[in-house]
């Protein structure tokens, strides 16, 4: 495996993403970060911490669970109710955008909720669009072959690997 981003570089990307989010929501009072579990939620927590350091925004965090291999046959679960999310600013967060399939289906629960704004954020965008998903916030765009695999690690060591 080859290192694509180091701990320090990931930290820079997260901080830059936080500033971009704040620039686009500076007139708001609150914002919901909904992380696609497990890695998107972990990334959302890191973004929440950065946003709370740099802005007065009230940042709410929630998880989003879906079967990435078979999203149509299993329920997509959001850890907060539709009533709470109604008329809110929401950013759906994931670690890697490959084909757009996971993000596409992760947006499904929001089709029937009136929202102020719905956006998407990914740390790594591989640009293989099979689904009509263009993230609003991208930490790092990476051109790869279909055979290559991206692994994001955000626990004791932070790194993005390609193999």
């Amino acid at each position: 495996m080859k290192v694509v981003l180091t701990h320090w570089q990931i930290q820079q990307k997260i901080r830059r993403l936080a500033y971009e989010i704040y620039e686009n929501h500076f007139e708001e009072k609150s914002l919901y970060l909904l992380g696609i579990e497990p890695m998107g939620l972990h990334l959302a927590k890191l973004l929440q911490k950065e946003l709370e350091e740099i802005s007065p925004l009230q940042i709410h965090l929630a998880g989003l669970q879906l079967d990435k291999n078979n999203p149509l046959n299993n329920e997509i679960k959001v850890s907060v109710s539709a009533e709470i999310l109604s008329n809110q600013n929401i950013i759906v967060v994931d670690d890697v955008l490959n084909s757009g399939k996971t993000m596409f289906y992760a947006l499904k629960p929001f089709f029937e909720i009136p929202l102020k704004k719905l956006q998407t954020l990914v740390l790594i965008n591989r640009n293989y669009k099979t689904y009509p998903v263009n993230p609003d916030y991208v930490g790092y765009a990476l051109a790869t072959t279909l055979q290559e695999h991206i692994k994001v690690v955000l626990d004791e060591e932070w790194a993005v690997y390609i193999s």
Side-chain angles (χ1 to χ4, degrees), residues 23-61:
E23 286 172 8
N24 290 323
H25 294 88
F26 71 93
E27 294 177 336
E28 301 297 334
K29 289 184 175 30
S30 69
L31 176 69
Y32 280 81
L33 297 176
L34 272 67
I36 298 173
E37 295 183 26
M39 291 303 295
L41 181 57
H42 192 70
L43 178 59
K45 288 176 185 175
L46 298 171
L47 278 164
Q48 177 187 33
K49 183 177 180 236
E50 285 294 327
L51 281 162
E52 287 173 344
E53 286 180 17
I54 66 167
S55 78
L57 288 170
Q58 186 176 12
I59 307 299
H60 305 279
L61 190 67

Side-chain angles (χ1 to χ4, degrees), residues 97 131 141:
L97 183 73
Y131 289 80

Side-chain angles (χ1 to χ4, degrees), residues 1-10 140 142 149-151 153 157-163:
M1 284 197 294
K2 179 183 169 193
V3 176
V4 176
L5 295 175
T6 64
H7 184 114
W8 183 77
Q9 291 168 318
I10 293 169
Y140 190 68
L142 182 64
H149 178 73
I150 300 294
K151 180 179 181 185
V153 179
E157 73 155 311
W158 289 11
V160 174
Y161 298 100
I162 188 169
S163 59

